[in-house]
Amino acid sequence: MGYDLHISRAEEYYDSDAHPIPLDEWLSYAEGTPTLRAVGWLGRDEERQPHYEHTCADGSVVSLTWFEGAIEIKGRFGGDAYREFGAIAEDLQANLQGDHGERYTARGVLPPTR
């Protein structure tokens, strides 16, 4: 199913600009992570940054990009994508959240906070 996940240090991913993951920190992490591959560029001139891909355990390929202090993960996920991306969020001392506000860790779905 096509769905977006967000890695953010904010309580809600849409507030990531208030509690950002700095771009240079993300780039350093991504470049040092063998499961992430730089596959192109987004933006222009000094705003330009690499775009990364990750092949999930089920073979699906998703994209990861930095946007306004958060990491946006887009693609068609099969299986338990939170297990793979929950670990990245934990490495970055951040949260993994879906489009509808659900929260994940590398071990599973967290209960709603509301």
Side-chain angles (χ1 to χ4, degrees), residues 6-106:
H6 313 272
I7 297 175
S8 170
R9 289 188 176 143
E11 185 65 27
E12 300 294 338
Y13 72 87
Y14 47 78
D15 291 329
S16 294
D17 56 342
H19 303 281
I21 297 170
L23 177 59
D24 60 336
E25 181 181 348
W26 163 244
L27 294 176
S28 177
Y29 178 83
E31 290 298 319
T33 303
T35 59
L36 299 177
R37 294 175 309 286
V39 294
W41 296 91
L42 298 174
R44 296 178 184 254
D45 303 323
E46 65 275 347
E47 304 272 326
R48 192 171 103 147
Q49 59 173 292
H51 164 77
Y52 296 90
E53 283 186 346
H54 171 81
T55 302
C56 296
D58 68 358
S60 59
V61 178
V62 298
S63 68
L64 291 90
T65 56
W66 182 92
F67 180 71
E68 295 182 351
I71 311 309
E72 305 294 321
I73 306 167
K74 299 177 183 287
R76 298 186 66 80
F77 304 104
D80 297 330
Y82 60 81
R83 294 188 192 282
E84 297 178 63
F85 301 113
I88 293 174
E90 289 171 6
D91 287 348
L92 292 169
Q93 298 177 326
N95 306 303
L96 179 62
Q97 191 174 24
D99 276 344
H100 301 295
E102 66 282 12
R103 297 173 189 285
Y104 304 94
T105 70

